[in-house]
Amino acid sequence: MNNHYTALEFNIIIDKLKEHALSQKAKDALANLSPYLNEDMCVRKMAETTSARNLLDIVGAPPLAIMEKLDEIITLADAGSMLVPEQLKSIVGFAQSCKRMTTYLSKSESTGEAVAVYGKSIENLTTLRTEIELCIDYDTLRDDASPALRNIRRKKEHVENQIKEKLDHILKSRKQYLSDGYIAIRQGHYVLPVQRKFQAQFGGTVIDASGKGSTVFMEPTAIAKFQAELTLLGIEEDAEERRILYTLTAAVVEYAPLLRRNMEAMEILDVLFAKAKLSASMKAVPVEIGGARRLDIRQGRHPLLSAEECVALDFAMDENTNGVIITGPNTGGKTVAVKTVGLLCLMAQCGLHIPCDAGSYVAMQDSYWCDIGDSQNISQNLSTFSGHMTNIISILAHASRDSLVLLDELGSGTDPAEGMGIAVAVLEELRLRGCMFLVTTHYAQVKTYAEKSDGVISARMAFDRENLRPLYQLEMGMSGESCALHIAQRLGLAPHLLARAHHEVYGGQASAPKPPATKAPKSRLERTQPDKPSNDPSGKFAMGDSVTVLQTGEIGIVYRPANELGDVIVQVKGVKQTMKHNRLKRNVSAAELYPPDYDFSIIFDSVENRKARHHMGRKHDPTLSITYGNDENA
């Protein structure tokens, strides 16, 4: 199977499909299942799966034939071999299954289900089945398979009764010569167990001997003529049985084209109902699929995850979007999200239902290309990065405008700066090429690339910061953070280690981080004093700076520069929000906007707060208070 399909675990889907099939040929056909590249064919295959699923839900499981060794039996008959009763019974069983399947499918004709058409292609084998059943019962030929066979078997029965009567008489009259008192059959002859020492006195022909040699099995002289007659009748019986079997074999040869046609129809139905059974087991639904370059997966679930534990995702790309860059913390579900989208699209293009809500839409692709998981290859002396790059170079060599490309942690496994540069270069090539792509990343520059590039949008995996728990929910149109420092702090990493880590990432003074404290805006006196060193990692923000929120394009005013974790408080439309410093762009500095003694409480305080602060400056009044209700960190 294509390695890119395996990266999406499509091979496991195939294995599950094969488990639902009965015949080996159907299993082989499912093993080779791949995306249909013709839109009409793809739509038709989806409709067939839907039709089979509807019939499965309404009528129940179809009476499919296993057809084990059936093709081999027909081939033997064609080659001139004589079929034995057991093989002919297999033909009868198949003919019965064809009749039941025709009845089963006829129940869907009134509903107009697409699968009903296969019922008309199943030929009637009643005549052949009846002919065989009249001659064979329980894997043996019936006595009345022909008048001659019935007559021969009656004669055999009469002779055998005569032999048994003679032997019963000898058992009673000459028991002193016998080692035991029973009648046996050895090499097709009726015999009695005689003590070896009385062999000569007993009279007759030795047919066999016991293991120790103390007993010989003798055919008495008195039944020799009856035994000869029985042997002759056995030869006649065998000849008549072979004549009958050759006649039935000839009938099978005559019906061979119809048998093979029915086998093909049954194999197709086996494949269709395997898809329907998989759909039912996954609680999947049909989706619209077409040539429009868009995706709309509603409440999609990974088909290999438990429905109770899986968090459904909503994923959409319109015709103006080429790529989606997914960000978020480690173990947050980014890779699962990418694999879910890729696998669901691949399944739909193979005519399979997918676990999602009705109304979903999947675009036709000419190919699927994946770089997911560890690409390290010891046998080829490839490091993780080399393995990824080898795969990505191959993808770039083959991916077209009509391809879907899925890249997990693009640019990882090497120096972050160089990896970031490679990631942006690869993404730009994919964007210019016009193919659809999904990428996961931790690189801030790649997130910025998504915000600045036409046709590329951001998405993130939601994360519960309070409980340090990934929510596994994909949020379209939003960028996420890796949250590494935040998680490390909440988990109890030593402050001096956290400070050093912060310094290495963002620069600035390596001081131990402290919980953010709420403080009032600077007074005129504070504003005129020299500023203390800023905690802003980038050194580019100060209170009063006009900034743009990159994610939304909204304009805000910096209320508090960044703390040790790079969090900046920005007032947007009167509401204070905490944002990462690298999600902001400065428009105009506070120094250019305001005079040195500007009172920022005018901007950041309510009228009531300003009045209260003015009165507090004149005298103590226990009835006054200052409220920071519009500050989410207050």
Side-chain angles (χ1 to χ4, degrees), residues 350-414:
C350 290
L352 301 176
H353 289 177
I354 62 176
C356 66
D357 283 358
S360 297
Y361 179 92
V362 172
M364 293 283 294
Q365 312 288 346
D366 67 359
S367 55
Y368 292 79
W369 304 97
C370 306
D371 184 60
I372 299 174
D374 189 357
S375 296
Q376 188 178 51
N377 191 317
I378 297 175
S379 64
Q380 297 182 15
N381 195 30
L382 292 177
S383 66
T384 298
F385 176 73
S386 298
H388 281 301
M389 285 311 305
T390 300
N391 197 18
I392 289 171
I393 290 170
S394 175
I395 291 172
L396 293 176
H398 297 94
S400 71
R401 178 191 176 278
D402 296 317
S403 300
L404 178 61
V405 178
L406 309 171
L407 305 176
D408 187 32
E409 298 296 351
L410 178 59
S412 63
T414 186

Side-chain angles (χ1 to χ4, degrees), residues 230-436:
L230 187 63
T231 300
L232 181 60
L233 288 170
I235 293 172
E236 292 179 7
E237 179 186 33
D238 180 68
E240 179 62 14
E241 287 179 345
R242 293 174 66 84
R243 186 193 67 77
I244 295 170
L245 291 174
Y246 268 117
T247 300
L248 294 176
T249 300
V252 171
V253 172
E254 181 182 351
Y255 275 85
L258 302 186
L259 286 165
R260 287 198 167 95
R261 193 176 305 163
N262 284 9
M263 287 176 64
E264 290 175 3
M266 199 69 76
E267 287 158 5
I268 293 172
L269 289 168
D270 198 357
V271 169
L272 286 179
F273 280 102
K275 294 178 180 179
K277 292 171 187 175
L278 180 71
S279 171
S281 69
M282 292 181 172
K283 298 180 180 178
V285 299
V287 295
E288 183 182 359
I289 186 164
R293 303 298 291 162
R294 65 184 183 88
L295 293 176
D296 185 6
I297 297 176
R298 304 177 182 181
Q299 289 295 286
R301 304 177 301 280
H302 195 290
L304 302 180
L305 296 179
S306 167
E308 293 73 23
E309 299 176 359
C310 179
V311 178
L313 63 81
D314 290 306
F315 183 88
M317 294 175 66
D318 60 28
E319 294 184 77
N320 296 318
T321 302
N322 291 109
V324 175
I325 296 178
I326 303 176
T327 56
N330 291 322
T331 69
K334 298 190 300 297
T335 301
V336 173
V338 168
K339 292 174 75 170
T340 299
V341 173
L343 182 56
L344 295 185
C345 290
L346 180 56
M347 288 174 62
Q349 199 166 337
C350 290
L352 301 176
H353 289 177
I354 62 176
C356 66
D357 283 358
S360 297
Y361 179 92
V362 172
M364 293 283 294
Q365 312 288 346
D366 67 359
S367 55
Y368 292 79
W369 304 97
C370 306
D371 184 60
I372 299 174
D374 189 357
S375 296
Q376 188 178 51
N377 191 317
I378 297 175
S379 64
Q380 297 182 15
N381 195 30
L382 292 177
S383 66
T384 298
F385 176 73
S386 298
H388 281 301
M389 285 311 305
T390 300
N391 197 18
I392 289 171
I393 290 170
S394 175
I395 291 172
L396 293 176
H398 297 94
S400 71
R401 178 191 176 278
D402 296 317
S403 300
L404 178 61
V405 178
L406 309 171
L407 305 176
D408 187 32
E409 298 296 351
L410 178 59
S412 63
T414 186
D415 174 80
E418 294 183 353
M420 176 276 299
I422 292 173
V424 171
V426 170
L427 292 176
E428 182 64 7
E429 174 62 23
L430 294 174
R431 187 182 73 86
L432 293 175
R433 196 171 295 188
C435 59
M436 301 177 75

Side-chain angles (χ1 to χ4, degrees), residues 590-622:
E592 298 178 67
L593 289 172
Y594 310 104
D597 60 348
Y598 187 76
D599 183 1
F600 280 97
S601 66
I602 297 173
I603 297 176
F604 298 120
D605 270 0
S606 64
V607 174
E608 292 76 11
N609 279 355
R610 290 203 304 274
K611 289 180 177 180
R613 197 185 304 280
H614 174 72
H615 288 299
M616 285 180 182
R618 297 174 56 196
K619 63 179 180 178
H620 173 69
D621 186 344

Side-chain angles (χ1 to χ4, degrees), residues 17-31 64-71 94 262-272 274 277:
L17 269 173
K18 290 165 63 178
E19 290 173 4
H20 291 298
L22 294 180
S23 66
Q24 187 56 50
K25 284 199 172 182
K27 293 177 186 290
D28 293 341
L30 291 169
L64 292 163
I66 297 179
M67 301 184 291
E68 184 178 1
K69 297 183 179 180
L70 192 61
D71 189 53
F94 177 66
N262 284 9
M263 287 176 64
E264 290 175 3
M266 199 69 76
E267 287 158 5
I268 293 172
L269 289 168
D270 198 357
V271 169
L272 286 179
K277 292 171 187 175

